[in-house]
Amino acid sequence: MKSVCVLGSTGSIGLSTLDVLRINQQSYRVFALTANRNIDRLVEQCLEFKPCFAVVPDEQLAEQCRLKISQSAAAATEVISGMESLEFVAKHHDVDIVVAAIVGAAGLLSTLAAAQAGKKLLLANKEALVISGDLLMSAVKDNNACLLPLDSEHNALFQCMPAGYQAGQGAAGIRKLILTASGGPFLNKPAAELRNVTVEQACAHPNWSMGRKISVDSATMMNKGLELIEASYLFAMPADLIEVLVHPQSVVHSMVDYIDGSVLAQLGNPDMRTPIAHALAWPERQASGVSPLDFMLNKQLSFAAPCYEKFPCLRLAYEVLATKGSAPAILNAANEVAVEGFLNKKIRFTDIPVLIQQALDTSSIEPLDSIDTVLRVDRVTRELTMRNMESI
Ligand SMILES: NC(=O)c1ccc[n+]([C@@H]2O[C@H](COP(=O)([O-])OP(=O)(O)OC[C@H]3O[C@@H](n4cnc5c(N)ncnc54)[C@H](OP(=O)(O)O)[C@@H]3O)[C@@H](O)[C@H]2O)c1
């Protein structure tokens, strides 16, 4: 039995993870679950999985959760609060596997704690890697952690890498990585109409059901930009050896192009339970609950180059990856604030890349020498972008 800590269990990835754990319950026990605000869902999950710990960062919400749990059949679960409690469960010696599925930079310290404690770390929280880059990769290497990507594209690339490959290593014989992108809900919308798109339209992804932040990122194609940076760190590949290819069907999840002319691809239905089941069981395989891919229903697989004019966030991601240092952290913080602003209807969809560009143009880029630097850059960029948002 492997003991699993699910950081962000109440979100979209968290729910998919619990689905996979449920159908493979002979192999796993749930050690800890964490939420931010969705206490009702967390309590339901505690009732079913009876973890040792439930984490709620806010003490008032944690107290509400304690009350509900104490009156239920999950009374053995201890509810703890404070952001440091996320790190406490992520590095706990009774944990074998940590699923990092908190959204945004809020997941950085708990993800890092799991790496520093040498856990098997399943990474969905791409923002943590984007902002901390080599610092997180070094923590993985120095502490013999096992980092496996949950993002479907990176999980696909991992599956197509040479045998024996480990995260953070380059690999010989690779010409380039090909990251596929659905293109999001606005792939075929004229650029001139993007100014007036609504939150509901932006969150209606054609192929994937996801949290609201990543849904907006998919609509701006910043998600692919973050994934580009994530792939660069995970696979030790420079930006010019990572190509983004629009593939609207989301069946080919990504590809590795080798120097002998071979291209290895991983295919499957667009369902996050596949990469989650793969990473949980790796190097074995286990059931995920995902239906088999039916080629008769997927006869048309098409590919196209992305349009950088229509989706400037993708261009910005290539630029910050070439610059590195604190540039990816600035891009990420500005994006998180801008997306939140769009979701709260304070700014237009097309203001998102404008705010990110402003943050990059007015911030000095510095080397990322410590996590304290990452946290400071993140905080300062958030403050700057909030101010810029007032005058947009
Ligand atoms: N969804 C996908 O298909 C998908 C695919 C690939 C990668 N990812 C990545 O996986 C991560 C999670 O995405 P998601 O779609 O699952 O997001 P989501 O549905 O919004 O879930 C986010 C989770 O993080 C928790 N959370 C939010 N803010 C927090 C904070 N400040 N402190 C602690 N916990 C916090 C949420 O708690 P509450 O529910 O209580 O608010 C929830 O459990 C993101 O980095 C995303 O890019 C997602």
Side-chain angles (χ1 to χ4, degrees):
M1 287 287 255
K2 298 285 183 203
S3 170
V4 185
C5 166
V6 187
L7 302 170
S9 64
T10 48
S12 164
I13 291 288
L15 291 177
S16 295
T17 301
L18 293 179
D19 270 353
V20 175
L21 296 179
R22 189 179 289 114
I23 60 174
N24 293 286
Q25 50 187 281
Q26 71 290 349
S27 306
Y28 304 100
R29 71 180 272 265
V30 176
F31 177 80
L33 298 172
T34 86
N36 191 36
R37 311 220 57 92
N38 196 342
I39 299 310
D40 289 341
R41 185 172 280 168
L42 182 67
V43 171
E44 270 172 37
Q45 293 178 343
C46 290
L47 277 174
E48 179 180 356
F49 291 95
K50 304 196 170 42
C52 297
F53 291 102
V55 181
V56 183
D58 179 85
E59 173 51 26
Q60 276 188 343
L61 285 175
E63 190 50 36
Q64 289 177 27
C65 190
R66 259 177 224 123
L67 194 64
K68 290 185 182 191
I69 282 188
S70 67
Q71 297 162 346
S72 76
T77 297
E78 185 180 343
V79 181
I80 53 177
S81 64
M83 286 307 276
E84 65 288 353
S85 298
L86 294 169
E87 293 162 61
F88 169 76
V89 291
K91 65 184 183 198
H92 199 285
H93 55 77
D94 288 346
V95 168
D96 301 303
I97 302 174
V98 174
V99 178
I102 290 175
V103 62
L108 172 64
L109 294 179
S110 49
T111 302
L112 187 68
Q116 287 167 337
K119 302 297 183 192
K120 178 171 176 179
L121 171 58
L122 311 195
L123 184 73
N125 180 206
K126 65 192 86 183
E127 297 92 344
L129 181 54
V130 166
I131 64 177
S132 63
D134 290 329
L135 295 168
L136 179 58
M137 294 310 295
S138 299
V140 168
K141 189 162 168 260
D142 295 348
N143 297 286
N144 288 322
C146 171
L147 175 60
L148 297 171
L150 286 192
D151 232 332
S152 59
E153 294 78 0
H154 305 73
N155 184 270
L157 291 172
F158 179 77
Q159 293 196 44
C160 297
M161 293 301 273
Y165 168 81
Q166 285 179 9
Q169 287 179 341
I174 293 173
R175 181 159 37 207
K176 64 180 173 186
L177 305 181
I178 302 172
L179 266 183
T180 53
S182 69
F186 304 138
L187 179 62
N188 299 316
K189 202 177 233 339
E193 291 177 20
L194 291 182
R195 189 175 148 76
N196 293 321
V197 297
T198 64
V199 168
E200 292 67 30
Q201 288 171 317
C203 287
H205 196 281
N207 305 337
W208 299 93
S209 159
M210 309 183 284
R212 278 157 64 88
K213 191 263 177 184
I214 185 177
S215 295
V216 176
D217 283 348
S218 297
T220 60
M221 286 197 79
M222 179 53 93
N223 184 47
K224 211 49 55 182
L226 297 175
E227 289 179 6
L228 166 79
I229 302 168
E230 181 185 10
S232 173
Y233 285 117
L234 277 174
F235 302 107
M237 279 277 170
D240 58 336
L241 297 188
I242 309 174
E243 179 185 344
V244 172
L245 198 57
V246 173
H247 166 51
Q249 297 82 14
S250 300
V251 166
V252 176
H253 296 306
S254 277
M255 300 180 260
V256 178
D257 183 342
Y258 287 90
I259 52 175
D260 62 3
S262 304
V263 178
L264 299 194
Q266 187 261 354
L267 284 69
N269 285 317
D271 187 321
M272 288 306 295
R273 291 176 299 172
T274 295
I276 292 168
H278 168 266
L280 277 169
W282 184 85
E284 310 292 325
R285 296 267 177 183
Q286 67 187 357
S288 65
V290 176
S291 51
L293 183 64
D294 184 341
F295 282 93
M296 294 306 112
L297 292 175
N298 288 283
K299 286 183 186 161
Q300 299 290 329
L301 299 182
S302 58
F303 301 92
C307 176
Y308 293 94
E309 289 74 37
K310 187 166 145 189
F311 297 108
C313 288
L314 186 54
R315 172 181 54 76
L316 289 171
Y318 268 105
E319 287 173 11
V320 303
L321 186 53
T323 310
K324 282 220 177 146
S326 57
I330 295 168
L331 169 122
N332 181 72
N335 181 57
E336 285 194 31
V337 172
V339 169
E340 187 69 22
F342 172 68
L343 286 170
N344 292 329
K345 306 191 176 169
K346 286 190 187 155
I347 59 166
R348 291 175 184 275
F349 182 76
T350 43
D351 292 332
I352 297 172
V354 174
L355 285 165
I356 300 166
Q357 181 82 66
Q358 280 178 359
L360 288 165
D361 287 348
T362 52
S363 307
S364 49
I365 309 301
E366 54 186 303
L368 277 196
D369 49 8
S370 70
I371 289 297
D372 283 346
T373 307
V374 177
L375 295 174
R376 176 174 46 75
V377 168
D378 181 71
R379 178 176 44 76
V380 169
T381 310
R382 281 169 195 272
E383 290 164 3
L384 172 73
T385 309
M386 302 272 249
R387 285 197 302 276
N388 289 344
M389 199 148 65
E390 296 305 320
S391 52
I392 204 154

